[in-house]
């Protein structure tokens, strides 16, 4: 759960030599962290105890650089993550913790499917929470110069949790990126949103499902979740539509989409004045969804488009939605072809970010712009035809 919100918050901090510091000798780096912690007001003995035995974890760096699963298109990715077993277990968990989900709905207005989907994808309902030493992972990633602005503040948050008695630097484990517990929250998020939902006097995100679920709900609420509002709905689109209007960066009212022939595949659409974006993850011949304002909050939890869409869709499945109509999307590009496409788009002046073969938001926007220029269906789905035309 490497959240965009963390990166935004970090970017707003006043730049300082200490915050920007990364790389160099690992022990010298740790020495700098300890000095900064003391300068921030932490007790020297607590700082020494927290950092005692800290080590660099090469496995963390390998995991950070090996996220090839996000290269999969939505249909493949969602089928990979969503199994009948996960659906059945999700519904069983909804029943087991019915009172907790009722409380979440009453206090935060977040449907149970939303939290269940995160719980399933992050840790398989708590079964696999990660075995990386959290302190070592955070220090390793802060030392690495890819995203120190994200991870360095989390070290001091973990130190604060340690001082409060809620973190054991030698034994606390979690995901490779420093997230902890059943719904995988970073230390700063735990400090700000941790909830003792089971009333035992402590926040236990690793062992208490009520604590983890309520804490996740509080965080989503703080990120802007609109209580009681929808997030995603499968729709049927007409053959003749201005596909350049699709994509998460553009929104129209539900009434405007209806006026162009967009209709729900099942049930009813929400209020006609609600804003919605038309999401075509694999082009105009594949699945189609209307994404409502709450969908944008998902990107504060995870930045991957394919993960976000799959989590949002799975939440609807857990609440009774049918399996999406996969349609017959045009053949996509291989990972190597996608890198070639990104290079060509970059050469034309588009900001696609890293050349990584992943169809992220920047690449989708660039693809759509070039489709418009070339007179192709502007659905942001890259094909061999577009690659050849470029």
């Amino acid at each position: 759960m490497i959240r965009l919100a963390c990166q935004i918050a970090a970017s707003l901090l006043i730049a300082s030599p200490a915050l920007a510091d990364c790389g160099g000798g690992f022990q010298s780096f740790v020495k700098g962290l300890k000095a900064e912690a003391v300068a921030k007001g932490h007790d020297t003995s607590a700082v020494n105890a927290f950092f005692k035995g800290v080590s660099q974890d090469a496995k963390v760096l390998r995991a950070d650089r090996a996220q090839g699963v996000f290269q999969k298109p939505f249909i493949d990715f969602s089928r990979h993550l969503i199994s009948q077993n996960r659906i059945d277990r999700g519904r069983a968990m909804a029943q087991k913790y019915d009172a907790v989900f009722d409380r979440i709905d009453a206090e935060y207005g977040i449907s149970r499917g939303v939290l269940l989907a995160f719980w399933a994808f992050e840790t398989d309902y708590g079964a696999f929470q990660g075995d990386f030493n959290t302190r070592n992972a955070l220090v390793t990633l802060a030392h690495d110069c890819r995203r120190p602005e994200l991870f360095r503040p989390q070290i001091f948050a973990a130190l604060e949790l340690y001082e409060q008695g809620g973190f054991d630097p030698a034994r606390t484990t979690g995901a490779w990126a420093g997230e902890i517990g059943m719904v995988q929250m970073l230390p700063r998020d735990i400090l700000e949103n941790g909830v003792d939902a089971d009333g035992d006097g402590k926040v236990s995100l690793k062992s208490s499902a009520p604590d983890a679920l309520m804490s996740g709900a509080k965080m989503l609420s703080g990120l802007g979740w609109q209580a009681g509002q929808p997030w995603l709905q499968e729709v049927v689109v007409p053959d003749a539509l201005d596909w350049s209007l699709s994509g998460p960066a553009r929104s129209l009212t539900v009434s405007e989409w209806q006026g162009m022939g967009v209709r729900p595949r099942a049930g009813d659409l929400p209020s006609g004045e609600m804003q919605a974006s038309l999401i075509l993850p694999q082009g105009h011949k594949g699945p189609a969804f209307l994404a409502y304002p709450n969908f944008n909050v998902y990107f504060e939890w995870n930045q991957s488009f394919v993960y976000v869409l799959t989590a949002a869709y799975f939440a609807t499945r857990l609440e009774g939605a049918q399996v999406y109509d996969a349609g017959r999307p045009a053949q996509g590009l291989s990972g190597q072809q996608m890198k070639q496409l990104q290079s060509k788009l970059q050469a034309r002046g588009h900001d696609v970010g890293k050349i990584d073969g992943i169809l992220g938001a920047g690449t989708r926007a660039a693809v759509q712009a070039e489709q418009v220029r070339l007179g192709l269906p502007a659905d942001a789905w890259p094909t061999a035809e577009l690659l050849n035309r470029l």
Side-chain angles (χ1 to χ4, degrees):
M1 187 189 67
I2 303 297
R3 295 194 297 106
L4 182 62
C6 293
Q7 291 180 315
I8 293 173
S11 69
L12 294 177
L13 292 173
I14 298 174
S16 69
L19 192 71
D21 210 8
C22 66
F26 186 74
Q27 292 306 318
S28 294
F29 176 74
V30 172
K31 184 178 179 180
L33 289 173
K34 294 169 70 174
E36 184 174 347
V38 172
K40 288 177 179 288
H42 295 281
D43 180 74
T44 301
S45 60
V47 171
N48 289 334
F50 178 83
F51 284 102
K52 182 180 179 180
V54 65
S55 63
Q56 196 170 17
D57 192 338
K59 293 185 297 181
V60 167
L61 297 177
R62 288 196 294 271
D64 187 31
R65 288 155 171 76
Q67 300 184 63
V69 65
F70 295 111
Q71 292 181 342
K72 291 184 177 183
F74 169 72
I75 293 175
D76 293 343
F77 186 85
S78 60
R79 288 174 175 172
H80 174 73
L81 261 65
I82 300 172
S83 64
Q84 188 60 50
N85 178 60
R86 273 188 166 164
I87 292 173
D88 292 343
R89 288 185 64 203
R91 290 170 178 164
M93 289 295 186
Q95 184 174 12
K96 180 177 181 179
Y97 295 103
D98 183 63
V100 176
F101 286 113
D102 281 349
R103 182 179 166 190
I104 288 172
D105 186 39
E107 292 190 25
Y108 302 112
I110 299 173
S111 297
R112 59 187 60 197
V114 175
L115 272 303
L116 284 165
F118 281 130
W119 194 12
F121 287 176
E122 297 290 349
T123 64
D124 218 5
Y125 304 106
F128 305 102
Q129 298 184 31
D131 56 4
F132 291 88
N133 178 280
T134 300
R135 178 202 56 189
N136 291 348
L138 291 172
V139 176
T140 296
L141 291 166
H143 174 260
D144 187 41
C145 287
R146 293 183 71 196
R147 289 168 292 169
E149 76 285 349
L150 170 60
F151 292 105
R152 191 179 183 104
Q154 299 298 332
I155 296 171
F156 302 113
L159 172 58
E160 190 171 341
L161 284 174
Y162 165 67
E163 292 172 320
Q164 295 176 2
F167 186 95
D168 184 333
R171 295 182 177 83
T172 298
T173 57
W176 63 264
E179 303 102 340
I180 303 166
M182 295 191 186
V183 294
Q184 301 283 269
M185 293 173 65
L186 287 163
R188 176 57 60 189
D189 293 321
I190 297 173
L191 283 173
E192 295 175 352
N193 300 292
V195 177
D196 173 23
D198 59 16
D200 67 352
K202 57 185 178 180
V203 177
S204 306
L205 303 189
K206 291 176 70 69
S207 58
S208 171
D211 286 8
L213 293 169
M214 284 292 295
S215 297
K218 182 181 177 182
M219 187 173 74
L220 284 173
S221 179
L223 291 171
W225 191 274
Q226 297 181 23
Q229 296 298 314
W231 56 96
L232 190 77
Q233 185 174 13
E234 187 182 7
V235 293
V236 178
V237 294
D239 293 331
L241 189 70
D242 181 356
W243 306 115
S244 69
L245 297 174
S246 67
R250 299 171 178 82
S251 66
L252 299 171
T253 66
V254 169
S255 292
E256 288 172 318
W257 288 120
Q258 287 177 309
M260 288 184 281
V262 176
R263 58 185 179 83
R265 185 162 177 240
D268 300 314
L269 294 176
S271 166
E273 297 307 308
M274 179 173 287
Q275 292 289 314
S277 298
L278 179 63
I279 305 297
L280 306 171
Q282 290 187 227
H284 64 288
K285 295 182 180 179
F289 304 91
L290 279 185
Y292 304 111
N294 276 338
F295 180 75
N296 296 324
V297 178
Y298 276 83
F299 287 101
E300 305 288 348
W301 187 291
N302 190 294
Q303 297 174 60
S304 167
F305 175 85
V306 69
Y307 177 96
V308 161
L309 182 59
T310 301
Y313 161 70
F314 187 39
T316 69
R317 284 292 311 280
L318 289 167
E319 297 196 356
Q322 60 191 320
V323 178
Y324 61 74
D325 180 2
R328 302 184 67 179
Q331 180 66 41
L333 302 179
S334 67
Q336 187 58 41
Q337 286 176 316
M338 188 68 73
K339 290 180 180 179
Q340 293 173 5
L341 176 68
Q342 289 175 320
S343 296
K344 290 186 176 185
L345 292 169
Q346 190 177 72
R348 293 194 62 84
H350 296 286
D351 181 8
V352 298
K354 182 181 177 182
I355 307 299
D356 55 8
I358 297 176
L359 183 58
T363 301
R364 283 183 175 274
V367 165
Q368 194 167 42
E370 289 301 310
Q371 288 172 328
V372 171
R373 184 180 68 84
L374 296 170
L376 299 172
D379 56 12
W381 176 240
T383 61
E385 180 183 6
L386 174 63
L387 181 61
N388 293 333
R389 293 278 295 273
L390 291 174

